[in-house]
Amino acid sequence: MAEEKYQVVLDIGTRTLIGLILKQEEKGLKVVTCQRWEHPDRAMLDGQIHDIPAVAAAVKHVVGQLAKKARRPIRSVAVAAAGRSLRTERVRLEKDWDWGKPVQAGDISELEEEALQQARSNVTRTRLDWHYQCVGYSIVHYYLSGQPIANLVGQRGNRIGVELIATFLPREVVDSLQAVLDMTGLSMDSLTLEPIAAARVVIPPAMRQLSLALVDIGAGTADIAVTQQGAIQGYGMVPEAGDEITEALAQLLLLDFNEAERLKRWLNQKDKLEYTDILGQKHHAESSEIIKLLEPRVRELAQKIGQQILAIAPKGVQAVLLVGGGALTPGLAPLLADELGLSSNRVGIKGKDALQQWVNKWPKDFDGPDMITPLGIGLTALAGESLKRFRCSVNGQDIDVFGWQSPQVLEVLREAGVPLREILGKPGMALSFTLNGQLRLVKGEAGQPGQIWLNGQLVDYSARVRPGDRIDYSPGQPGADARVRVKEIWEGEVYSRFWFNGQEVRWPWTVKINGQTVAWDSFIPDLATVEIGLDLTVAQFLQGQQIEIGKGEIYLNKQPAGLEAKIRPGDWIEYEVRRETIIVDLEGQAREIEWQEGMLVVHALDLVGFVPKPPWPGAKAILLVNDKISQFSQALQPGDLVKLYWQKEE
């Protein structure tokens, strides 16, 4: 029985992150589980990670869901890089061989490594190109005694050779991928290029005699691979893809990016659509109308993809296979066919049909063109066709180095998890905090550098390391940690201006660290939340002015306000004392008078000029307070109604 193998795959795209777990069983390949997650913000642009913590959070979520569904821990993943700033190098290498010795798989691996080293040397001829990293390669041909051959294993001849295409990306592209995995506690056990992975699924070796172009269209890049004469002949990349179409739609219809993305995805699925612009206005439109509006921008993308294909294959191709979520861009396939002079049925989108060649069944909603590349990443890793590792030691500890057979010391130290700053002399701990919601960073002092030895010889960071080499280093001396007081990071005024009943008020700003009020000369701790500004409610202000609360009406910027309303710089506050009154009704003639503390009924009657003289003999005064019989000596409260009238005495 064949051994079961599991492979966890992460396809970290500009817009969407897809994770899956593949299981290699005796009967074939099985998808254990899949997970798709869209970045809530634009943490990636054109295939490059711009916000490492945000992408790491997405990876952590996806991996967590995969582990939960599969009920198994996940410690390492296979990934791929998009072809941003892609460079390719085609190399043919041949060397003499002992006729009596059959070629073994290890001999071929060594041959490929030598060819890769030559490709790297070609790319890094100038100091400007030193930061390029190999992310994958494709075999064009093997050679036996100068003649092409499909497989060298077991062959005998006087010369063996290989021709391959190596692909290189800027180091920051690879480093950002590694940084994301480091932040989530995952190791990278396989790295390849996205079009290499996609081609493995869509264009198996049996199809590579045809002249075909594979275009993997994501949100940020369109990655291209071209096959001819039985092998991949070249790679290319267009730094535009689905996001540019979304941005064009946003511009045309005055939408925010997320609404434009949502609308774009429905264009091929619904005839009539509803959308809301940035002004909050709702619109209804026919999908065909919107597709027509987008056609110039889609045509521009098709032209750029077509030009890149023709740059690799000047005589053109027989067909184009589209994969990736961006392949569903409305109208792209026929426009690309026009650009390449192909009939419309020679440009097609590969999805479920291609997946079924490798896997019997996929989970629901995970069978579209965006699943081609994740599957290819997994297949490449399971087949051992991604970059290799070798072992050396760092300060007596064995480590596996990912990638090259003879990388620089700097690369090996990075693989060993040794921060460059530890050797240069670790700078003092930086101090980070937020000041009024904005992240601030204060650097520590620089440290003193240490030294590096390779097999006992003092070297610099560019020295080449080979399998079995021994690296030793002495760490540098750390610098002092950062310290800073509140008053040292604040510039400008320390009070706010606002107006109270027409008079300017200057109120000192409050300094809070982690919610606690502190003095201006306080030290700021690491990861603190610092808030400086006006922290004042209407009630606190009135109390500070020794104004009795509850005796008047409060207006903040001409609008009624409560006591807990916050005062902002520049606000206009008004406080009008409420008149407390009572009403005295004499014989149907009502008057409103101001109430005073200790006021009795007799006092109120005096204020309205009441004369206690009967208007006719025998008349009797009827006195009511709030419609109840009362006495002249009764105390009054604000709002009371006093009535007095005369009636004939019975």
Side-chain angles (χ1 to χ4, degrees):
M1 179 180 294
E3 180 184 358
E4 294 182 348
K5 294 182 180 180
Y6 287 88
Q7 182 62 60
V8 183
V9 176
L10 284 180
D11 183 7
I12 304 174
T14 299
R15 185 70 179 166
T16 305
L17 193 155
I18 297 174
L20 58 87
I21 298 179
L22 296 174
K23 183 181 179 183
Q24 184 70 62
E25 298 179 327
E26 184 178 7
K27 295 181 180 180
L29 197 62
K30 175 184 177 181
V31 177
V32 178
T33 185
C34 293
Q35 184 72 23
R36 181 187 282 111
W37 179 259
E38 287 196 12
H39 300 291
D41 300 307
R42 301 187 72 182
M44 294 182 63
L45 294 173
D46 298 338
Q48 170 64 40
I49 297 171
H50 283 249
D51 189 336
I52 289 175
V55 177
V59 168
K60 188 174 183 180
H61 171 80
V62 169
V63 171
Q65 292 298 311
L66 290 174
K68 182 178 180 181
K69 290 181 179 180
R71 297 181 180 179
R72 57 186 295 117
I74 295 175
R75 298 183 177 87
S76 62
V77 294
V79 296
R84 175 181 175 269
S85 301
L86 178 70
R87 291 192 60 172
T88 62
E89 190 70 24
R90 188 164 180 155
V91 170
R92 177 171 174 173
L93 176 71
E94 295 190 53
K95 64 180 183 180
D96 294 335
W97 192 252
D98 182 356
W99 188 285
K101 179 183 176 183
V103 180
Q104 304 296 321
D107 302 322
I108 299 173
S109 296
E110 184 178 341
L111 182 68
E112 291 174 6
E113 290 288 355
E114 291 181 27
L116 284 171
Q117 184 61 53
Q118 182 176 322
R120 180 178 177 84
S121 298
N122 293 345
V123 169
T124 58
R125 285 173 184 161
T126 68
R127 292 183 61 85
L128 296 176
D129 293 329
W130 69 270
H131 63 291
Y132 272 79
Q133 168 73 41
C134 179
V135 293
Y137 65 95
S138 299
I139 302 299
V140 179
H141 291 296
Y142 290 110
Y143 295 92
L144 181 67
S145 301
Q147 298 299 315
I149 194 166
N151 193 339
L152 282 171
V153 174
Q155 301 288 348
R156 299 173 185 269
N158 57 12
R159 289 182 66 80
I160 60 172
V162 65
E163 183 176 5
L164 57 77
I165 299 174
T167 55
F168 297 82
L169 291 179
R171 182 78 203 200
E172 55 265 27
V173 175
V174 181
D175 286 350
S176 61
L177 273 173
Q178 185 66 60
V180 165
L181 298 183
D182 288 344
M183 195 170 287
T184 55
L186 297 168
S187 65
M188 185 192 299
D189 60 14
S190 173
L191 174 66
T192 188
L193 191 68
E194 289 183 358
I196 293 177
R200 198 181 196 286
V201 176
V202 177
I203 315 179
M207 292 174 57
R208 295 182 184 181
Q209 289 294 338
L210 300 174
S211 180
L212 303 175
L214 167 73
V215 186
D216 182 1
I217 308 173
T221 63
D223 297 305
I224 299 166
V226 174
T227 65
Q228 291 176 342
Q229 300 176 351
I232 294 179
Q233 298 296 313
Y235 297 96
M237 187 276 298
V238 175
E240 296 180 16
D243 276 358
E244 278 68 27
I245 305 303
T246 303
E247 289 168 357
L249 189 58
Q251 291 287 336
L252 288 167
L253 301 181
L254 206 63
L255 309 175
D256 67 35
F257 185 86
N258 290 331
E259 178 71 356
E261 179 70 18
R262 183 193 68 81
L263 183 63
K264 183 186 74 173
R265 294 183 183 184
W266 284 108
L267 287 175
N268 287 329
Q269 302 182 44
K270 292 185 177 182
D271 294 331
K272 295 182 179 181
L273 297 172
E274 179 182 295
Y275 61 90
T276 304
D277 64 25
I278 62 172
L279 301 176
Q281 299 173 350
K282 290 189 176 181
H283 302 268
H284 296 82
E286 300 283 343
S287 294
S288 58
E289 295 175 357
I290 299 176
I291 291 173
K292 188 174 181 180
L293 280 175
L294 277 175
E295 182 176 333
R297 187 63 184 87
V298 178
R299 183 180 296 278
E300 184 180 342
L301 176 59
Q303 289 172 344
K304 291 181 178 180
I305 293 173
Q307 290 167 3
Q308 186 64 37
I309 291 173
L310 293 174
I312 303 170
K315 294 182 180 180
V317 293
Q318 295 171 278
V320 179
L321 309 177
L322 302 180
V323 300
L328 300 173
T329 300
L332 178 60
L335 289 172
L336 182 55
D338 288 345
E339 182 67 22
L340 294 171
L342 299 172
S343 60
S344 59
N345 63 354
R346 290 294 184 95
V347 178
I349 299 173
K350 304 296 288 183
K352 188 174 184 178
D353 58 330
L355 297 171
Q356 288 176 337
Q357 298 177 27
W358 300 94
V359 182
N360 292 328
K361 185 178 179 181
W362 282 78
K364 186 179 179 181
D365 298 329
F366 285 87
D367 57 3
D370 59 341
M371 296 304 299
I372 297 292
T373 297
L375 177 60
I377 297 170
L379 290 172
T380 302
L382 286 169
E385 296 176 0
S386 53
L387 296 182
K388 302 172 179 63
R389 297 173 182 266
F390 71 84
R391 178 159 292 187
C392 62
S393 71
V394 174
N395 279 8
Q397 181 177 358
D398 289 341
I399 65 162
D400 291 324
V401 179
F402 179 79
W404 286 92
Q405 192 170 16
S406 56
Q408 294 179 335
V409 167
L410 179 61
E411 294 172 310
V412 175
L413 291 175
R414 183 183 288 113
E415 290 287 342
V418 180
L420 181 59
R421 62 183 183 179
E422 182 176 324
I423 304 169
L424 293 176
K426 184 178 179 181
M429 289 291 293
L431 179 67
S432 64
F433 56 92
T434 58
L435 175 60
N436 291 346
Q438 298 294 318
L439 182 64
R440 298 287 294 269
L441 181 69
V442 179
K443 294 181 179 180
E445 293 183 3
Q448 297 297 317
Q451 292 180 309
I452 300 173
W453 293 268
L454 179 62
N455 299 323
Q457 299 294 317
L458 191 63
V459 297
D460 61 17
Y461 306 113
S462 63
R464 293 289 174 184
V465 182
R466 299 188 178 280
D469 278 355
R470 185 183 78 254
I471 301 173
D472 296 286
Y473 73 91
S474 63
Q477 298 300 313
D481 294 344
R483 296 188 74 197
V484 67
R485 300 176 188 268
V486 175
K487 64 183 180 182
E488 296 170 349
I489 52 91
W490 187 254
E491 297 178 357
E493 296 180 340
V494 294
Y495 55 82
S496 291
R497 294 182 177 88
F498 55 90
W499 279 260
F500 177 66
N501 288 348
Q503 299 294 317
E504 184 184 64
V505 177
R506 295 188 178 188
W507 198 273
W509 283 355
T510 301
V511 179
K512 288 187 176 183
I513 295 180
N514 297 331
Q516 300 296 318
T517 301
V518 300
W520 281 91
D521 62 350
S522 299
F523 282 103
I524 300 174
D526 191 28
L527 303 178
T529 299
V530 183
E531 297 168 308
I532 300 176
L534 186 61
D535 185 19
L536 183 65
T537 64
V538 170
Q540 291 169 337
F541 172 71
L542 294 178
Q543 290 170 352
Q545 300 298 304
Q546 298 183 339
I547 295 173
E548 187 175 359
I549 296 176
K551 296 295 185 179
E553 301 292 339
I554 302 167
Y555 295 89
L556 186 61
N557 300 322
K558 305 299 182 182
Q559 299 295 321
L563 291 171
E564 296 306 313
K566 288 283 190 179
I567 300 174
R568 306 297 180 193
D571 278 352
W572 189 276
I573 307 161
E574 296 172 287
Y575 184 80
E576 298 179 0
V577 177
R578 233 180 353 254
R579 289 183 65 224
E580 297 180 316
T581 62
I582 61 173
I583 297 175
V584 180
D585 184 338
L586 294 179
E587 290 289 334
Q589 299 294 318
R591 285 183 57 189
E592 185 179 30
I593 63 174
E594 187 171 350
W595 175 85
Q596 298 177 6
E597 188 74 36
M599 178 178 280
L600 305 178
V601 170
V602 65
H603 299 148
L605 294 174
D606 285 343
L607 289 174
V608 298
F610 169 67
V611 178
K613 180 179 179 181
W616 65 80
K620 179 181 179 182
I622 304 300
L623 179 62
L624 304 173
V625 175
N626 299 329
D627 295 326
K628 293 182 180 180
I629 296 297
S630 182
Q631 303 294 324
F632 286 96
S633 60
Q634 180 174 332
L636 296 175
Q637 298 298 325
D640 282 349
L641 171 62
V642 179
K643 288 184 180 180
L644 188 145
Y645 61 92
W646 298 91
Q647 72 177 22
K648 186 176 180 180
E649 187 171 9
E650 298 179 355

